[in-house]
Amino acid sequence: MRATHVPETGVITVREWPKPQATEPGTFVVRMTAASVCGSDLHAALHGTLHPKGPERAGYPGHEGVGVVSESNSEKFPVGTTVLCVPPGEFGGAFAEYMLLDDDHAVALPSDVNSNDLTQMRRYMMAQQLGTCIYAFDLYWPTEVPARTAGTCVIMGAGSAGLFFLQDALRRGFDQVIISDKEPARLEIARKLGARAVLIPDEDLGTVVSELTGNNGADLVIEAVGSDELRTQAVDIVANRGIVGWFGLYESFEPTLVPIFEVFRKCVRLQGSVAAQSEPGLKSFHEAVRRIHDGEVEVDYCLGPTHTLDQVAEVLRIAERGGDGQVKFTIVP
């Protein structure tokens, strides 16, 4: 089968690999319908966070995909089942014609999903990233007694994750959501979804947050880009006793500076989020599939043009420079 290969940082090729086989109980092979590019793919393939086993893994670093079970050694996922693929991010496997999964890393799609309808399948593919956002938001904004005031939520980055966080913040009752980005097209989507959009560098995010919160700062700040500079700014603009959620992955394995004095002075809670794919029962991914099925979340702005496996390297470079107006990129094997 054909799949991507990342032999070293900055090199993304496509070559022939052995087709996977479901030899172990509870495993199955998925014939991939589509995969999508995640921001963490850029860090892994281009920015120096290549997993040590990455060069040995077919389809790396892709980990968002949908497809149909073509071979099965699983009672839970028989042949013909349409699935959302939820492999651990460090394993990848989605940028391929076939992918091996197990019972703990897939979600069956609703029975009324037509596997031959690429548009419909691509909508449900968004449940992978939406699921990671739901999982993260539960960490960033847990149920507390007494309940926190859901006043202002700031989201740094209007990519697909940032826009999902925006919709979830409004769903959770925040009075106002402020979202920043460098791409006008993405911010226009954010405005339509109900956010106050901040175009960087035309506006200063800190100034806008100060003006809209009466100098109090934001109750919750979510960094959804993966920038050390923005993680520092998040601490600056969060309110006293506020929460900062770090979602965008680290830029490298090297240590980075954190404004510790400000964290202590303001009594800030710092919360990371990773490994949603290890959540028991994949609860957040099931919820994401349900919301898409019931029309409770908008995802069609993610359905831009499709690309082939041979274009993965090119697409990653486009995504790296901001997406050229696109929110999400689809790879069709």
Side-chain angles (χ1 to χ4, degrees), residues 155-159 179-187 197-202 205 224-225 322:
I155 300 164
M156 298 167 147
I179 190 166
S180 63
D181 204 276
K182 296 180 179 180
E183 292 290 326
R186 294 181 175 186
L187 289 176
V198 178
L199 179 63
I200 307 296
D202 292 3
L205 179 59
V225 175

Side-chain angles (χ1 to χ4, degrees), residues 127-186:
Q128 199 285 340
Q129 186 161 70
L130 176 59
T132 65
C133 292
I134 293 171
Y135 174 84
F137 216 131
D138 285 343
L139 293 174
Y140 303 153
W141 201 252
T143 300
E144 296 181 355
V145 179
R148 286 177 173 264
T149 299
T152 299
C153 175
V154 171
I155 300 164
M156 298 167 147
S160 53
L163 294 170
F164 287 147
F165 280 129
L166 158 59
Q167 294 186 70
D168 206 359
L170 294 173
R171 178 188 181 95
R172 294 173 191 246
F174 276 86
D175 295 332
Q176 64 177 343
V177 179
I178 303 168
I179 190 166
S180 63
D181 204 276
K182 296 180 179 180
E183 292 290 326
R186 294 181 175 186

Side-chain angles (χ1 to χ4, degrees), residues 155-236:
I155 300 164
M156 298 167 147
S160 53
L163 294 170
F164 287 147
F165 280 129
L166 158 59
Q167 294 186 70
D168 206 359
L170 294 173
R171 178 188 181 95
R172 294 173 191 246
F174 276 86
D175 295 332
Q176 64 177 343
V177 179
I178 303 168
I179 190 166
S180 63
D181 204 276
K182 296 180 179 180
E183 292 290 326
R186 294 181 175 186
L187 289 176
E188 182 57 31
I189 297 170
R191 289 189 189 94
K192 291 178 179 178
L193 291 173
R196 165 63 164 90
V198 178
L199 179 63
I200 307 296
D202 292 3
E203 290 185 284
D204 178 72
L205 179 59
T207 300
V208 173
V209 172
S210 181
E211 291 175 349
L212 294 180
T213 64
N215 296 323
N216 289 322
D219 302 288
L220 172 64
V221 181
I222 299 175
E223 197 284 332
V225 175
S227 160
D228 290 338
E229 180 181 355
L230 292 184
R231 279 185 274 265
T232 297
Q233 187 184 21
V235 175
D236 291 336

Side-chain angles (χ1 to χ4, degrees), residues 74-307:
S74 164
E75 295 182 2
K76 186 176 179 181
F77 295 97
V79 170
T81 305
T82 305
V83 296
L84 172 71
C85 305
V86 193
E90 66 270 21
F91 284 85
F95 296 153
E97 293 178 318
Y98 294 89
M99 178 163 58
L100 180 67
L101 287 173
D102 60 42
D103 285 349
D104 295 328
H105 293 98
V107 174
L109 297 182
S111 59
D112 58 355
V113 173
N114 180 0
S115 62
N116 295 316
D117 185 335
L118 180 59
T119 298
Q120 188 180 41
M121 291 288 282
R122 291 175 69 198
R123 287 192 182 106
Y124 279 100
M125 182 167 64
M126 295 305 110
Q128 199 285 340
Q129 186 161 70
L130 176 59
T132 65
C133 292
I134 293 171
Y135 174 84
F137 216 131
D138 285 343
L139 293 174
Y140 303 153
W141 201 252
T143 300
E144 296 181 355
V145 179
R148 286 177 173 264
T149 299
T152 299
C153 175
V154 171
I155 300 164
M156 298 167 147
S160 53
L163 294 170
F164 287 147
F165 280 129
L166 158 59
Q167 294 186 70
D168 206 359
L170 294 173
R171 178 188 181 95
R172 294 173 191 246
F174 276 86
D175 295 332
Q176 64 177 343
V177 179
I178 303 168
I179 190 166
S180 63
D181 204 276
K182 296 180 179 180
E183 292 290 326
R186 294 181 175 186
L187 289 176
E188 182 57 31
I189 297 170
R191 289 189 189 94
K192 291 178 179 178
L193 291 173
R196 165 63 164 90
V198 178
L199 179 63
I200 307 296
D202 292 3
E203 290 185 284
D204 178 72
L205 179 59
T207 300
V208 173
V209 172
S210 181
E211 291 175 349
L212 294 180
T213 64
N215 296 323
N216 289 322
D219 302 288
L220 172 64
V221 181
I222 299 175
E223 197 284 332
V225 175
S227 160
D228 290 338
E229 180 181 355
L230 292 184
R231 279 185 274 265
T232 297
Q233 187 184 21
V235 175
D236 291 336
I237 65 176
V238 74
N240 289 340
R241 300 188 180 276
I243 298 174
V244 171
W246 287 341
F247 184 80
L249 288 188
Y250 35 85
E251 296 178 85
S252 73
F253 295 126
E254 298 300 317
T256 188
L257 295 175
V258 175
I260 293 296
F261 171 71
E262 285 298 296
V263 171
F264 273 86
R265 184 182 71 82
K266 297 163 72 173
C267 197
V268 174
R269 181 189 301 175
L270 303 177
Q271 176 67 59
S273 177
V274 73
Q277 299 91 335
S278 299
E279 181 185 29
L282 300 176
K283 177 177 70 73
S284 298
F285 295 102
H286 282 278
E287 172 64 9
V289 168
R290 186 199 66 76
R291 290 187 193 181
I292 292 174
H293 182 267
D294 294 349
E296 295 179 7
V297 61
E298 176 60 53
V299 301
D300 278 8
Y301 54 78
C302 294
L303 307 185
T306 61
H307 304 269

